[in-house]
Amino acid sequence: MSNSDNKLTKEQIFNWVAYFLITTSILLAIFLLANNTMIINFFNDSENKSFDYRQSLLVKHRHLKPSKDIVIIAIDDGSYEYVLDKYGEWPISRSVYSKIIDRVEADNPKAVIFDLMFIKSFKSDIKADSHLASTMAKYNNVYTAINFDNQSSDVRTPTVLPNRMSVKVENQSKTIDIEKDFGYSNCRVIIPQILNSKTKIGMININRSEDGIIRQVPVLAYYNGLYYPHLTLSAGIDLMGENTGKFIIDKKSNLITGNKKIPLTTSGEVVLNWYGPSLRTYKNIPFHKLIKSIDGDKSIEKYDFKDKIVYIGTTASSLFDTKSVPIDKIYPGVEIHATYMNNLIDNSFIKKSSATTNMIIILALVLIVSFIVFKSTSAIFATTSTVLLAAAYYLASYYVMSMFNIWIEVVVPLFVTLLTFAISYLAKYLLKSRDFEQQYRLATTDGLTELYNHRYFQDSLKKQLDLAKRYEQEFSLIIVDIDFFKKFNDTYGHQVGDAVLKTVAQILKRNTRATDYVCRYGGEEMSIILPQTSNKEALINAQRICDAVANTPLKVNSNTEVNITISLGVSTFPQDGDTPQKLIECADKALYYAKEHGRNQVGKTVG
């Protein structure tokens, strides 16, 4: 392998070290940003919006088909107006719900689920309350709701709930803490006739994200030292025959009951996978039409509830049970529960990618982008490639969600992609600047003495002459020749000759100004360009340099020292010439004078 190949390998090693440092810097920046609450909230909010957008696209392309077995008896705006006209008030007598239950149960549905809470006795109608409770208890597939909260005990005394409502939970996860995230100190108690009957009861707590949108729904609540399942979860696992009375949250954050495995978030919730916009996803049967049908109105179509999962709830905007979800700003709460049930049936809950997976993705993107930037010779190609990579990643996240129901993060990875692109380009620019400086130094500097080379001397002399003419200033030139240089080479060898050249070069640099140009003219000759320097000043400088060299012995070996002397010639613009050639010629004549008259001196200018 040649020397040039070795140098190339060193450059490659340097570049790969740079890649590593860039990657480490970016990851360190990410970790630092991760400790800033405001930035975390910004990224979380942005990620949630990206999830909403992907879900909207999936719904638009109908990647999931809603179950035809889910039906909603909806108390819509028309039904609300109807019951006000018919019964004169809202809420209506609970005996009406008893009729609804008997009518639906006559068709043998799979389940009847009330997204309604029967709190306290309406107008102290104990008879209607008891009738509703006995009707519910008559069937083993009727479910109703209860809600937990943290209301002060001064307002409401916490109630001890029946044991049949709770379930056993074994939590093996190190990240999920139901007691912390969904622990409550109070509950809104439903009427005791239902509470103390055999009716199945589940909680319907739903937590909104910070932006007010519901994406996740809890599976369990913790109250008075016991765990209570969500209404829909309880009904769903009953229907699937997976209710063992015990839930296990495994180490991978899955909720397991029977053979059913449900992926949970770190907060112990399920992320819903949406099927379609509100009021158009599931069959909605208006509440008032069913009442008319029960009352014998022959003009109403006959509804068949056989083998259906029937939800009963409000969809009227005036009844204030509407929420915002990823695919719609106004979405009835009962349809959220229906979506929850549909996800259970399809086993289609969204699973969030783990932190480890996200870090692997980020690291891969960092390496790919930095490689593209450093290896590409075209800025347009690098930019286009990075944009296409980002677009491909976002598209991949869409298809991963579509095919595998996995939510992989896009905001932080794409932000890191752009950050990597910017930092890599900055690093590449700095590396190029370094390479340019190195190449420029190699092109303008003598490798042995580290003085400017002959070409640089000629260019600098011409530029200095142009400046002096323009601003009518003096400048001087000193040409230096090492006395008896050939003798050093012949007597002590070329290594000592090289040492003599280096020593003289160092003395010249130490005894000149930062604005002076010290160059190797050729062989044992060197030159100094002194801007804005008169002939008198140049002669003084030349003599000082001559004395400094003569007073600096060079140690050849442990027993031998040699003395070095130089001869110098000086010329000055404009009196000694107005071209580079004339100035060099004048300085050379003075140098030859010094050599002819004993050396180790500054020669006189010969007219």
Side-chain angles (χ1 to χ4, degrees), residues 222-426:
Y222 184 77
Y223 172 72
N224 270 357
L226 297 172
Y227 293 93
Y228 297 88
H230 192 277
L231 173 69
T232 293
L233 175 64
S234 180
I237 60 176
D238 281 347
L239 293 175
M240 290 180 280
E242 302 291 356
N243 189 356
T244 63
K246 180 179 179 180
F247 291 96
I248 297 174
I249 302 175
D250 67 13
K251 294 179 181 179
K252 294 183 178 180
S253 298
N254 293 303
L255 182 72
I256 300 173
T257 175
N259 295 316
K260 193 70 176 176
K261 181 184 288 187
I262 302 169
L264 303 181
T265 65
T266 55
S267 61
E269 298 171 278
V270 289
V271 181
L272 297 184
N273 211 348
W274 300 89
Y275 294 83
S278 65
L279 307 181
R280 295 195 298 276
T281 305
Y282 302 101
K283 182 176 181 180
N284 274 226
I285 298 174
F287 186 79
H288 72 281
K289 287 189 175 183
L290 188 59
I291 293 174
K292 284 184 176 182
S293 176
I294 293 171
D295 290 343
D297 190 334
K298 302 296 184 181
S299 64
I300 304 298
E301 66 174 294
K302 291 184 178 180
Y303 300 110
D304 184 8
F305 298 102
K306 182 175 177 56
D307 294 329
K308 303 295 184 184
I309 301 170
V310 182
Y311 274 94
I312 303 173
T314 63
T315 62
S317 56
S318 53
L319 292 176
F320 308 107
D321 190 29
T322 55
K323 316 288 194 298
S324 292
V325 299
I327 60 170
D328 211 330
K329 291 183 179 179
I330 299 176
Y331 210 85
V334 66
E335 294 214 18
I336 295 175
H337 293 294
T339 302
Y340 195 165
M341 176 63 76
N342 212 153
N343 280 193
L344 270 171
I345 295 171
D346 296 344
N347 198 30
S348 60
F349 290 110
I350 295 292
K351 181 178 181 179
K352 280 190 172 183
S353 57
S354 66
T356 302
T357 301
N358 293 334
M359 284 305 302
I360 292 172
I361 291 172
I362 288 172
L363 181 60
L365 289 172
V366 167
L367 293 175
I368 292 171
V369 172
S370 60
F371 182 82
I372 289 173
V373 171
F374 275 93
K375 291 300 180 181
S376 63
T377 56
S378 168
I380 295 176
F381 174 80
T383 304
T384 304
S385 298
T386 302
V387 171
L388 290 176
L389 175 66
Y393 177 73
Y394 194 91
L395 190 63
S397 74
Y398 167 81
Y399 282 109
V400 167
M401 186 176 289
S402 173
M403 293 185 289
F404 304 107
N405 300 325
I406 297 176
W407 176 359
I408 58 173
E409 292 189 359
V410 297
V411 174
V412 171
L414 292 181
F415 170 77
V416 172
T417 298
L418 295 177
L419 181 65
T420 302
F421 180 79
I423 292 177
S424 296
Y425 246 105
L426 176 61

Side-chain angles (χ1 to χ4, degrees), residues 379-498:
I380 295 176
F381 174 80
T383 304
T384 304
S385 298
T386 302
V387 171
L388 290 176
L389 175 66
Y393 177 73
Y394 194 91
L395 190 63
S397 74
Y398 167 81
Y399 282 109
V400 167
M401 186 176 289
S402 173
M403 293 185 289
F404 304 107
N405 300 325
I406 297 176
W407 176 359
I408 58 173
E409 292 189 359
V410 297
V411 174
V412 171
L414 292 181
F415 170 77
V416 172
T417 298
L418 295 177
L419 181 65
T420 302
F421 180 79
I423 292 177
S424 296
Y425 246 105
L426 176 61
K428 185 175 182 179
Y429 172 79
L430 294 176
L431 289 173
K432 278 192 171 182
S433 298
R434 170 189 167 276
D435 290 341
F436 176 78
E437 289 176 2
Q438 184 178 6
Q439 294 299 323
Y440 181 76
R441 183 177 62 80
L442 291 173
T444 60
T445 306
D446 174 61
L448 178 64
T449 62
E450 296 185 352
L451 301 180
Y452 291 120
N453 58 24
H454 183 81
R455 179 178 178 180
Y456 189 86
F457 163 74
Q458 292 289 354
D459 291 341
S460 299
L461 183 61
K462 185 178 182 303
K463 289 178 183 178
Q464 193 58 47
L465 186 63
D466 292 340
L467 286 172
K469 287 179 179 179
R470 182 182 302 173
Y471 298 107
E472 298 182 351
Q473 297 173 343
E474 292 181 299
F475 84 94
S476 296
L477 170 66
I478 301 174
I479 293 183
V480 178
D481 185 83
I482 300 173
D483 297 334
F484 306 111
F485 181 72
K486 187 175 183 300
K487 180 181 177 181
F488 287 108
N489 282 330
D490 294 342
T491 305
Y492 301 106
H494 285 86
Q495 287 186 338
V496 173
D498 289 346

Side-chain angles (χ1 to χ4, degrees), residues 106-124:
D107 291 342
N108 293 318
K110 289 182 179 178
V112 178
I113 306 169
F114 280 90
D115 181 28
L116 295 171
M117 290 179 56
F118 300 104
I119 301 172
K120 297 183 180 179
S121 177
F122 178 62
K123 287 190 173 183
S124 299

